[in-house]
Amino acid sequence: MNISTYTVKPKLPNSLKPLEEIARNLWLSWNFDAVQLFIRLDYDVWLQSQQSPVRALGMVSQERFTEMAQDDSYLAALTEVYDRFLKYKKAETWYRGTKEDVVAYFSMEYGMDVSLPIYSGGLGMLSGDHMKTSSDMGLPLVGIGLLYRQGYFKQLLNADGFQQESYPENDWYNMPVELKTDSQGEPVKISVDLAGRAAVAQIWEVKVGRSSLYLLDTNIQDNPQDFRNITAALYGGDKETRIQQEILLGVGGIRALRALGINPAVTHMNEGHAAFLGLERIREIMREKQFSFDEAREAVWPTNIFTTHTPVPAGNERFEINLMEKYFKPWTEILGITWNEFLGLGRERTYDDHESFCMTILALKLAAYANGVSRLHGLVSQKMWKGLWPGLPLAEVPIGHVTNGVHPKTWVSNNMSDLLLRYFGPHYEEEPTDFSVWERMDRISDEELWRTHERRRERLVAFTRERIRQNLKRNGAVERRIQHAEDALSPYALTIAFARRFATYKRGNLLLRDPERLLRLLKDSERPVQLIFAGKAHPMDMPGKELIKSIVHFAEQHDVESRIIFLENYDMTMAHYLTAGADLWLNTPRRPLEASGTSGMKAAMNGVLNCSVLDGWWDEAYNPEVGWAIGRGEEYEDTNLQDEVESKALYDLLEREIIPLFYQRGRDGLPREWIKRMKSCMRVIGPSMSSHRMLIDYSEQFYFPALKNYRQMFKSGYEEVRHLAAYFAKLKHSWESIRILNIDSNAKPVMERGDSLTVTARIELGKLSPEDVQVELYYGSVSTQTREIEHALVIEMQSVSHSEDCYFYQVQVECVQTGWQGHTVRILPKHPALVHPYRTGFIKWA
């Protein structure tokens, strides 16, 4: 069938034309007054459009447009919002430098608005907030991802509480995306080689305030059906689909930016999915500069940033060697390396033929900058990957941390935002990096804060009841049961929310472990408690699905369906209601399996108190004034014992502290001690877990240094890179000839604090010179258990003399610490172009 296609746009009167520009920029997703314009335009249409401004414009009748074009009240509101939108785009920002070179941020998913369903969970939420915050701060950053035809699945629970999935198709022509075209009006396209066949992708742009996100789409006629399905679904298909998606994201993403005339001077891999971009960047430089692989790798390394989100080895993406061979064997010729050398890029043990290819390892080996997503996760990641740097002390493994954050304007409810704006002043909106405004929390009266929170709880209850009605109707329930939805929850009871991905390690059923104790809490007429659960299990995760089913069955079997609710199809809309309307946010992961978590941060910024295991972000944010900790950070080998201990600790907290505090009311009916904690929580968590703090950390630790590295390389014509590659070539041939012959010092069996310690080392450097190495004194307290130096201090030693075959290095330090002390000497690489000296295989200890 020969079908001619074209696009039909809504016909807006001139006075309403700004609506289209606002609808197609996700700035509106964190500005509720902009959303209200579409609600006022036609409320019924807004609901039918599933809260999609672009789709809503296409559904509103022409008569309604004509009517609203003459409504002076509506036009005044539109003008006010549009003026603020234009002012936002032109305003001075935190970053005021050049934008000629950009940071390209790669992520498999982005959660920015319910109208763009290309996200599944926490990784996507983080990526979305990253993009919004980059816009607020004016950073030179663009996003790269994939445009999924079906996004992630829609969750449906059958009458038995078992999760089922549906995959509705996305209609991009009625969503906030725009196809990128060339000067001839043709779509901009790129291609990647997939096992000898070319897969073609077109590029769509999502405007995010001042920033842009570019999404690749293979669902076009240029491709055979199997390639059109590459961007069919997020985390769908088998391993082969997954490797195709990740080649498209990494390799295709770089090519897409080039096709758009954008120079990705620095690349940030948000998880290992995009790690193939490192190979593409190396290939580009080899071709353009006629570099060897080693030279090109040294050019890419100081401009690559990698963020890991996975706290367990099994969670890191791996591909079997036969699959790698199918898709990457030709790359060995392109890169000028052997097949074993290529595979070694993704292996912890470079020449272990039994080890599969790991995307996390590839990213770590090709990036000078790496981080976990919380302080605890940074430590976990160092332990997990220390094998990549044999001989390096754990504390120096070059994986740092930047704790995740959330975008306040997106996640603080509109009611709470209005309240904060009144007391914080315009800086709250206009200068989000001014964290001092959160110190004004105590200016807000207890009455106003509590009434605002109560309104949000009431809306959560109303939202929940409506969702229950819809689900019961869909499952064919009788009218009498549907009417009982009105009894679900109370707008006045202590409301506990547990909403997150339903993986078994998150222990969504921990609170159900002692049914008798839980039922006593739920059925207490004087101090009632109610629970709302929400979250999706991966379609292949049967244990996760059984967890959901067990919660539904528990409520039915114990006749507490009005007190325990499982809300299906957890999405951004539901998340807004839950994080703003609950009283207590519950989180029960097995420590240390929660890399960070962000839902609790969103809740905290709305004054919702957290009760959580000390894992992820809560491990560093917790103090008794902002919430409650389950346990003290213990880790268990026996998971049954862990569940028993921590469930009892949770019940104890609820019975002895949380519930009594919530219901402790004065004569005015206000829970003032609870409100005091709400204020402390918002004052502390608001600035510390803001995504603006997160982006400042990324900028100062990684983005700005990496951009500086790029500009220095570019300015020198990449000569520095050639020298660095030559330096490491020399090091490879000479490193084994280095020997620390002996160490002398003036140390006595007993030294006094303040004494001067002089250490001299005699070192044989072979064909290397003192300029090629960094000789360090490594000293500090010695553990009586391991007899190793703990919390070591490091100071560089200086070459003071040399004989024919060796050099003498010396340093003097003051004895400051008391107790059993020790020292040794080590040697590391030294070159002015090195970001850090920790390179695999290059460390020599005495």
Side-chain angles (χ1 to χ4, degrees), residues 727 730-739 768 772-773 827-829 841-844:
Y727 165 75
K730 180 172 70 171
L731 228 55
K732 285 177 184 176
H733 288 101
S734 306
W735 194 255
E736 289 307 313
S737 65
I738 295 176
R739 289 193 300 156
L768 299 177
D772 293 328
V773 296
I827 304 174
L828 294 166
F842 294 108
I843 185 168
K844 184 79 70 172

Coordinates of all heavy atoms in Angstrom, one line a residue, residues 727 730-739 768 772-773 827-829 841-844:
Y727 N 55.7 8.3 26.4 CA 56.2 8.1 27.8 C 55.7 6.8 28.3 O 56.5 6.0 28.9 CB 55.6 9.3 28.6 CG 55.7 9.0 30.1 CD1 57.0 9.1 30.8 CD2 54.6 8.7 30.9 CE1 57.0 8.9 32.2 CE2 54.7 8.4 32.2 CZ 55.9 8.5 32.9 OH 56.0 8.3 34.2
K730 N 57.6 3.9 26.8 CA 58.9 3.8 27.5 C 58.8 3.1 28.8 O 59.6 2.3 29.2 CB 59.6 5.2 27.6 CG 61.0 5.1 28.3 CD 61.7 6.5 28.2 CE 61.0 7.5 29.1 NZ 61.8 8.7 29.2
L731 N 57.7 3.5 29.5 CA 57.5 3.0 30.9 C 57.2 1.5 30.8 O 57.7 0.7 31.7 CB 56.3 3.7 31.5 CG 56.4 4.2 32.9 CD1 57.6 5.1 33.0 CD2 55.1 4.9 33.4
K732 N 56.5 1.0 29.8 CA 56.2 -0.4 29.7 C 57.4 -1.2 29.5 O 57.5 -2.4 30.0 CB 55.3 -0.6 28.5 CG 53.8 -0.2 28.7 CD 53.0 -0.4 27.4 CE 51.6 0.1 27.6 NZ 50.8 0.0 26.4
H733 N 58.4 -0.7 28.8 CA 59.6 -1.4 28.5 C 60.6 -1.4 29.7 O 61.5 -2.2 29.9 CB 60.3 -0.9 27.3 CG 59.6 -1.3 26.0 ND1 58.8 -0.4 25.3 CD2 59.6 -2.5 25.3 CE1 58.3 -1.0 24.3 NE2 58.8 -2.3 24.2
S734 N 60.4 -0.3 30.6 CA 61.5 -0.1 31.6 C 61.0 -0.3 33.0 O 61.8 -0.3 34.0 CB 62.0 1.3 31.5 OG 62.5 1.6 30.2
W735 N 59.7 -0.5 33.2 CA 59.1 -0.5 34.6 C 59.7 -1.6 35.4 O 60.0 -1.5 36.6 CB 57.6 -0.6 34.5 CG 56.9 -0.3 35.9 CD1 56.4 -1.1 36.7 CD2 56.8 1.0 36.5 NE1 55.9 -0.5 37.8 CE2 56.2 0.9 37.7 CE3 57.2 2.3 36.1 CZ2 55.9 1.9 38.6 CZ3 57.0 3.4 37.0 CH2 56.3 3.2 38.2
E736 N 59.8 -2.8 34.8 CA 60.2 -4.0 35.6 C 61.7 -3.8 36.0 O 62.1 -4.5 37.0 CB 60.1 -5.2 34.8 CG 58.6 -5.7 34.5 CD 57.9 -5.8 35.9 OE1 58.4 -6.4 36.8 OE2 56.7 -5.2 35.9
S737 N 62.4 -2.9 35.4 CA 63.8 -2.8 35.8 C 64.0 -1.8 37.0 O 65.1 -1.7 37.6 CB 64.7 -2.2 34.6 OG 64.2 -0.9 34.3
I738 N 62.9 -1.2 37.4 CA 62.9 -0.3 38.6 C 63.1 -1.1 39.9 O 62.3 -2.1 40.0 CB 61.7 0.6 38.7 CG1 61.6 1.6 37.5 CG2 61.7 1.4 40.0 CD1 60.4 2.4 37.5
R739 N 64.0 -0.7 40.8 CA 64.1 -1.5 42.0 C 64.3 -0.5 43.2 O 65.1 0.5 43.0 CB 65.2 -2.5 42.0 CG 65.0 -3.7 41.1 CD 66.0 -4.8 41.3 NE 67.3 -4.3 41.0 CZ 68.5 -4.8 41.5 NH1 68.4 -5.8 42.4 NH2 69.6 -4.3 41.2
L768 N 65.1 4.8 33.0 CA 64.3 6.0 33.3 C 65.1 7.0 34.0 O 66.2 6.7 34.6 CB 63.1 5.6 34.1 CG 62.2 4.5 33.5 CD1 61.1 4.2 34.5 CD2 61.5 5.1 32.2
D772 N 60.8 11.0 35.2 CA 59.8 10.0 34.8 C 59.0 9.4 35.9 O 58.0 8.7 35.6 CB 60.5 8.9 34.0 CG 61.1 9.4 32.7 OD1 60.6 10.3 32.1 OD2 62.2 8.8 32.3
V773 N 59.4 9.5 37.1 CA 58.8 8.8 38.2 C 58.5 9.8 39.4 O 59.1 10.8 39.5 CB 59.6 7.6 38.7 CG1 59.7 6.6 37.6 CG2 60.9 8.1 39.2
I827 N 56.8 3.9 44.1 CA 57.1 4.7 42.9 C 55.8 4.6 42.0 O 55.3 3.5 41.8 CB 58.3 4.1 42.2 CG1 59.5 4.1 43.2 CG2 58.6 4.9 41.0 CD1 60.7 3.4 42.6
L828 N 55.5 5.7 41.4 CA 54.4 5.9 40.5 C 54.8 6.6 39.3 O 55.9 7.3 39.3 CB 53.2 6.6 41.2 CG 52.5 6.0 42.3 CD1 51.6 7.0 43.1 CD2 51.6 4.8 41.9
P829 N 54.0 6.6 38.2 CA 54.4 7.4 37.0 C 54.3 8.9 37.3 O 53.5 9.3 38.2 CB 53.3 6.9 36.0 CG 52.8 5.6 36.4 CD 52.9 5.7 37.9
G841 N 49.0 -1.4 36.5 CA 50.3 -2.1 36.3 C 51.5 -1.2 36.6 O 52.7 -1.6 36.5
F842 N 51.3 0.1 37.0 CA 52.4 1.0 37.2 C 52.4 1.5 38.7 O 52.0 2.6 39.0 CB 52.4 2.1 36.2 CG 52.6 1.8 34.8 CD1 51.5 1.8 33.9 CD2 53.8 1.3 34.4 CE1 51.7 1.4 32.6 CE2 54.0 1.0 33.0 CZ 53.0 1.0 32.1
I843 N 52.8 0.6 39.5 CA 53.1 1.0 40.9 C 54.1 0.0 41.5 O 54.0 -1.2 41.2 CB 51.8 1.0 41.8 CG1 52.1 1.5 43.2 CG2 51.2 -0.4 41.8 CD1 50.8 1.8 44.0
K844 N 55.1 0.5 42.1 CA 56.2 -0.3 42.6 C 56.4 0.0 44.1 O 56.5 1.2 44.5 CB 57.5 0.0 41.9 CG 58.7 -0.8 42.3 CD 58.7 -2.2 41.6 CE 58.9 -2.1 40.1 NZ 59.1 -3.4 39.5

